[in-house]
Amino acid sequence: MKIRSILLLCMTALTACAGGSSRMKATSADAASPAPEPVEYTFRVKQSWPHSTSAYTQGLQYLDGLLWEGTGLHGQSVVRTTDLTTGKSRELARLPQSEFGEGITILGDSLYQLTWQENTCHLYRITDRGLDKLRDFRYTGEGWGITSDGQRLYMSDGSENLTVLHRDNFRRERRITVTLNGEPVHFLNELEWIEGRIWANVYTTEQVVIIDPQSGRVEGIVDLTGLLPEKERTATTDVLNGIAYDKEQKRILVTGKNWSKVFEIEIIPR
């Protein structure tokens, strides 16, 4: 199938570059029995809204009627909210020139914002005024995407691994190795928790993988090829990145870096 071929090609190439060592990180459960075949999905666009083409989207979340977004690039990294109905946006926080913003997630009245190579997670309290900075957490390696199950945090670093972290001190609790048919899936990027599963953009592709957070197995692959029409693409249009879930209305929202639209999609098994 086209979808699995794209992901397996990416995984094979990266594993070869790493000397095959990443294969040794697969869990014993994966080695003992073959993983169930993932369900392959296509999509249908239900509706769309304008999105700023200057927003280099790194993190996306929907809460209380607002789309929360973290953007990247040095000098352009912000946290902002957008009312999809009115299109009105509000900037709540801006990182210094030296920091490159990455994923965001909201847990309770706290917002966590990762940085790419600065090894820092910024913690804010959400207030009626906006965001109040509380403290910073430090971590090793890169920060890419982050999400929450309502209790714990899950962070990606661009590899095949997700790190489970304690919400209060960012202490590492365990590591999840994400696999597709027993092979590691590299370039896991922006994350979203949807109905007990972790959805992850696979960087450089137009695929999203649906992950069992206990085993790390990919249970579904959503092919979003062609979601942004060619007529909407420009020289600055970058890759698919950004998944948000509206829990109240069960809506899945997606966008990309410097995309002109945010889309509500319905996924359809092939």
Side-chain angles (χ1 to χ4, degrees):
M1 285 290 188
K2 176 184 176 184
I3 311 171
R4 190 182 296 111
S5 298
I6 293 173
L7 288 177
L8 286 176
L9 179 61
C10 179
M11 293 186 298
T12 301
L14 288 169
T15 300
C17 291
S21 61
S22 59
R23 297 193 182 194
M24 300 303 293
K25 298 178 182 177
T27 65
S28 58
D30 291 323
S33 59
E37 285 292 309
V39 179
E40 297 182 0
Y41 298 92
T42 183
F43 68 93
R44 179 174 73 87
V45 174
K46 302 187 72 174
Q47 59 181 322
S48 64
W49 302 267
H51 179 252
S52 172
T53 55
S54 65
Y56 193 78
T57 307
Q58 301 286 64
L60 207 64
Q61 188 157 0
Y62 189 88
L63 183 68
D64 297 334
L66 295 174
L67 189 69
W68 295 70
E69 184 172 20
T71 66
L73 301 178
H74 293 289
Q76 300 180 43
S77 297
V78 303
V79 177
R80 67 176 193 167
T81 58
T82 300
D83 184 323
L84 294 179
T85 302
T86 65
K88 183 178 180 180
S89 293
R90 179 187 178 197
E91 184 178 308
L92 303 179
R94 177 173 288 271
L95 294 184
Q97 176 80 29
S98 60
E99 294 188 357
F100 192 117
E102 285 283 347
I104 64 168
T105 195
I106 296 170
L107 180 51
D109 63 354
S110 297
L111 185 142
Y112 299 78
Q113 180 188 24
L114 298 179
T115 55
W116 179 29
Q117 295 179 321
E118 290 74 41
N119 313 116
T120 302
C121 174
H122 300 293
L123 177 64
Y124 307 88
R125 175 176 289 118
I126 301 171
T127 70
D128 292 338
R129 300 183 305 277
L131 295 177
D132 289 344
K133 181 70 173 292
L134 294 178
R135 60 169 296 184
D136 291 338
F137 296 114
R138 301 286 293 173
Y139 53 85
T140 58
E142 296 183 354
W144 285 42
I146 189 168
T147 191
S148 170
D149 62 4
Q151 295 295 327
R152 300 170 186 81
L153 301 167
Y154 299 77
M155 186 176 80
S156 64
D157 60 6
S159 71
E160 70 274 26
N161 297 314
L162 301 178
T163 303
V164 184
L165 301 160
H166 195 284
R167 62 188 293 176
D168 295 333
N169 52 27
F170 230 62
R171 179 175 56 83
R172 173 176 160 173
E173 296 186 347
R174 67 185 179 99
R175 186 180 72 176
I176 303 167
T177 299
V178 177
T179 59
L180 171 61
N181 295 332
E183 295 289 342
V185 180
H186 301 267
F187 281 4
L188 298 173
N189 199 4
E190 212 270 324
L191 307 175
E192 180 74 357
W193 185 274
I194 301 180
E195 302 295 337
R197 294 295 182 263
I198 297 173
W199 291 43
N201 283 109
V202 180
Y203 186 55
T204 74
T205 79
E206 294 192 301
Q207 277 74 50
V208 171
V209 291
I210 303 172
I211 303 162
D212 178 341
Q214 296 305 313
S215 67
R217 290 177 174 174
V218 171
E219 298 182 334
I221 306 169
V222 185
D223 184 12
L224 296 179
T225 301
L227 174 59
L228 184 68
E230 284 299 322
K231 65 181 181 181
E232 297 280 349
R233 295 178 178 270
T234 70
T236 61
T237 302
D238 212 309
V239 298
L240 175 79
N241 198 54
I243 312 166
Y245 185 55
D246 177 358
K247 295 179 182 178
E248 299 299 321
Q249 300 188 54
K250 309 296 184 185
R251 297 188 299 175
I252 301 168
L253 309 176
V254 294
T255 191
K257 301 173 187 289
N258 305 125
W259 281 27
S260 58
K261 294 284 194 305
V262 175
F263 298 93
E264 178 190 351
I265 62 167
E266 174 188 359
I267 62 170
I268 303 166
R270 287 186 182 273

Coordinates of all heavy atoms in Angstrom, one line a residue, residues 69-104:
E69 N -2.2 27.7 19.6 CA -1.2 27.4 18.7 C 0.2 27.9 19.2 O 0.3 29.0 19.6 CB -1.5 28.0 17.3 CG -0.5 27.7 16.2 CD -1.0 28.2 14.9 OE1 -1.8 29.1 14.8 OE2 -0.5 27.7 13.8
G70 N 1.2 27.0 19.1 CA 2.5 27.4 19.3 C 3.3 27.4 18.0 O 3.2 26.5 17.2
T71 N 4.1 28.5 17.8 CA 4.8 28.5 16.5 C 6.3 28.5 16.8 O 6.7 28.7 17.9 CB 4.4 29.8 15.7 OG1 4.9 31.0 16.5 CG2 2.9 29.9 15.5
G72 N 7.0 28.3 15.7 CA 8.5 28.2 15.8 C 9.2 29.3 15.0 O 8.6 30.3 14.6
L73 N 10.5 29.0 14.8 CA 11.5 29.9 14.1 C 12.0 31.0 15.2 O 11.3 31.5 16.0 CB 10.9 30.6 12.9 CG 10.4 29.7 11.8 CD1 9.8 30.5 10.7 CD2 11.5 28.8 11.3
H74 N 13.3 31.2 15.0 CA 13.9 32.2 15.9 C 13.3 33.6 15.6 O 13.2 34.1 14.5 CB 15.4 32.3 15.7 CG 16.1 31.0 16.1 ND1 16.2 30.7 17.5 CD2 16.7 30.0 15.4 CE1 16.9 29.5 17.6 NE2 17.1 29.1 16.4
G75 N 12.9 34.3 16.7 CA 12.3 35.6 16.6 C 10.8 35.6 16.2 O 10.2 36.7 16.1
Q76 N 10.3 34.4 15.9 CA 8.9 34.3 15.5 C 8.1 33.3 16.4 O 6.9 33.0 16.0 CB 8.7 34.0 14.1 CG 9.4 34.9 13.1 CD 9.3 34.5 11.7 OE1 8.2 34.1 11.2 NE2 10.3 34.6 10.9
S77 N 8.7 32.8 17.4 CA 8.0 31.8 18.3 C 7.1 32.4 19.3 O 7.5 33.1 20.2 CB 9.1 31.0 19.0 OG 9.9 30.3 18.0
V78 N 5.8 32.1 19.1 CA 4.8 32.6 20.0 C 3.8 31.6 20.4 O 3.8 30.5 19.8 CB 4.0 33.8 19.3 CG1 4.9 34.9 18.8 CG2 3.1 33.3 18.2
V79 N 3.0 31.9 21.4 CA 1.8 31.1 21.7 C 0.6 32.1 21.5 O 0.6 33.2 22.0 CB 1.8 30.6 23.2 CG1 0.4 29.9 23.5 CG2 2.9 29.7 23.5
R80 N -0.4 31.6 20.8 CA -1.5 32.5 20.4 C -2.8 31.7 20.4 O -2.8 30.4 20.4 CB -1.3 33.2 19.1 CG -1.4 32.2 17.9 CD -1.3 32.9 16.6 NE -1.6 32.0 15.5 CZ -1.8 32.4 14.3 NH1 -1.8 33.6 13.9 NH2 -2.2 31.5 13.3
T81 N -3.9 32.4 20.6 CA -5.2 31.7 20.4 C -5.9 32.4 19.2 O -5.7 33.5 18.9 CB -6.1 31.9 21.7 OG1 -6.2 33.3 21.9 CG2 -5.5 31.2 22.9
T82 N -6.8 31.6 18.6 CA -7.6 32.0 17.5 C -9.0 31.6 17.7 O -9.3 30.4 17.9 CB -7.1 31.5 16.1 OG1 -5.7 32.0 15.9 CG2 -7.9 32.0 15.0
D83 N -10.0 32.5 17.5 CA -11.4 32.2 17.5 C -11.7 31.8 16.1 O -11.7 32.7 15.2 CB -12.2 33.4 18.0 CG -13.7 33.0 18.1 OD1 -14.2 32.3 17.3 OD2 -14.3 33.6 19.0
L84 N -12.0 30.5 15.8 CA -12.3 30.1 14.4 C -13.5 30.8 13.8 O -13.6 31.0 12.6 CB -12.4 28.6 14.4 CG -11.1 27.8 14.7 CD1 -11.4 26.3 14.6 CD2 -10.0 28.2 13.7
T85 N -14.4 31.1 14.7 CA -15.7 31.7 14.2 C -15.4 33.2 13.7 O -15.9 33.5 12.6 CB -16.7 31.8 15.3 OG1 -17.0 30.5 15.8 CG2 -18.0 32.4 14.8
T86 N -14.6 33.9 14.4 CA -14.4 35.3 14.0 C -13.1 35.5 13.3 O -12.9 36.5 12.6 CB -14.4 36.2 15.3 OG1 -13.3 35.9 16.1 CG2 -15.7 36.1 16.1
G87 N -12.2 34.5 13.5 CA -10.8 34.7 12.9 C -9.9 35.6 13.7 O -8.8 35.8 13.3
K88 N -10.4 36.0 14.8 CA -9.6 36.9 15.6 C -8.5 36.2 16.4 O -8.8 35.2 17.1 CB -10.4 37.7 16.6 CG -9.7 38.7 17.4 CD -10.6 39.5 18.3 CE -9.9 40.5 19.2 NZ -10.8 41.3 20.1
S89 N -7.2 36.6 16.3 CA -6.1 36.0 17.0 C -5.6 36.9 18.1 O -5.7 38.1 18.0 CB -5.0 35.6 16.1 OG -5.4 34.6 15.2
R90 N -5.0 36.2 19.2 CA -4.5 37.0 20.3 C -3.1 36.4 20.7 O -3.1 35.2 21.0 CB -5.4 37.0 21.5 CG -4.9 37.7 22.7 CD -5.9 37.4 23.9 NE -5.4 38.1 25.1 CZ -5.9 37.8 26.3 NH1 -6.8 36.9 26.4 NH2 -5.4 38.4 27.4
E91 N -2.1 37.1 20.7 CA -0.8 36.6 21.1 C -0.7 36.7 22.6 O -0.9 37.7 23.2 CB 0.3 37.5 20.4 CG 1.7 37.0 20.8 CD 2.8 37.8 20.1 OE1 2.8 38.0 18.8 OE2 3.7 38.2 20.8
L92 N -0.3 35.5 23.2 CA -0.2 35.4 24.6 C 1.2 35.4 25.2 O 1.4 35.7 26.4 CB -1.0 34.2 25.1 CG -2.5 34.1 24.7 CD1 -3.1 32.8 25.2 CD2 -3.3 35.3 25.2
A93 N 2.1 34.9 24.4 CA 3.5 34.8 24.9 C 4.4 34.8 23.7 O 4.1 34.3 22.6 CB 3.7 33.5 25.7
R94 N 5.6 35.4 23.9 CA 6.6 35.4 22.8 C 7.9 35.0 23.4 O 8.4 35.5 24.4 CB 6.7 36.8 22.2 CG 7.7 36.9 21.1 CD 7.7 38.2 20.4 NE 6.5 38.3 19.5 CZ 6.5 37.9 18.2 NH1 7.6 37.5 17.7 NH2 5.4 38.0 17.5
L95 N 8.6 34.1 22.7 CA 9.9 33.6 23.2 C 11.0 34.6 22.7 O 10.9 35.3 21.7 CB 10.2 32.2 22.6 CG 9.4 31.1 23.1 CD1 9.9 29.8 22.6 CD2 9.3 31.0 24.6
P96 N 12.1 34.6 23.4 CA 13.2 35.5 23.0 C 13.8 35.0 21.7 O 13.6 33.9 21.3 CB 14.3 35.3 24.2 CG 13.9 34.1 24.8 CD 12.4 33.9 24.7
Q97 N 14.5 35.9 21.0 CA 15.1 35.7 19.7 C 16.0 34.4 19.7 O 16.0 33.7 18.7 CB 16.0 36.8 19.3 CG 16.8 36.7 18.0 CD 15.9 36.9 16.8 OE1 15.0 37.7 16.9 NE2 16.3 36.3 15.7
S98 N 16.6 34.0 20.8 CA 17.5 32.9 20.9 C 16.8 31.6 21.0 O 17.4 30.5 20.9 CB 18.4 33.1 22.2 OG 17.6 33.1 23.3
E99 N 15.4 31.5 21.2 CA 14.7 30.3 21.3 C 13.8 30.0 20.2 O 13.1 30.9 19.6 CB 13.9 30.3 22.6 CG 14.8 30.4 23.9 CD 14.0 30.2 25.2 OE1 12.8 30.1 25.1 OE2 14.7 30.1 26.2
F100 N 13.7 28.7 19.8 CA 12.9 28.2 18.7 C 11.8 27.4 19.3 O 12.0 26.3 19.8 CB 13.8 27.3 17.8 CG 13.3 27.0 16.5 CD1 13.9 27.4 15.3 CD2 12.2 26.1 16.4 CE1 13.4 27.0 14.1 CE2 11.7 25.8 15.1 CZ 12.3 26.2 14.0
G101 N 10.6 27.9 19.3 CA 9.5 27.2 19.9 C 9.1 25.9 19.2 O 9.2 25.8 18.0
E102 N 8.6 25.0 20.0 CA 8.1 23.7 19.5 C 6.7 23.5 20.0 O 5.9 24.4 20.1 CB 9.1 22.6 19.8 CG 10.3 22.6 19.0 CD 10.2 22.1 17.6 OE1 9.1 21.5 17.3 OE2 11.1 22.3 16.8
G103 N 6.4 22.2 20.3 CA 5.0 21.8 20.7 C 4.5 22.4 21.9 O 5.2 22.9 22.8
I104 N 3.1 22.5 22.0 CA 2.5 23.0 23.3 C 1.4 22.0 23.7 O 0.9 21.2 22.8 CB 1.8 24.3 23.1 CG1 0.7 24.3 22.0 CG2 2.8 25.4 22.7 CD1 -0.2 25.5 22.0

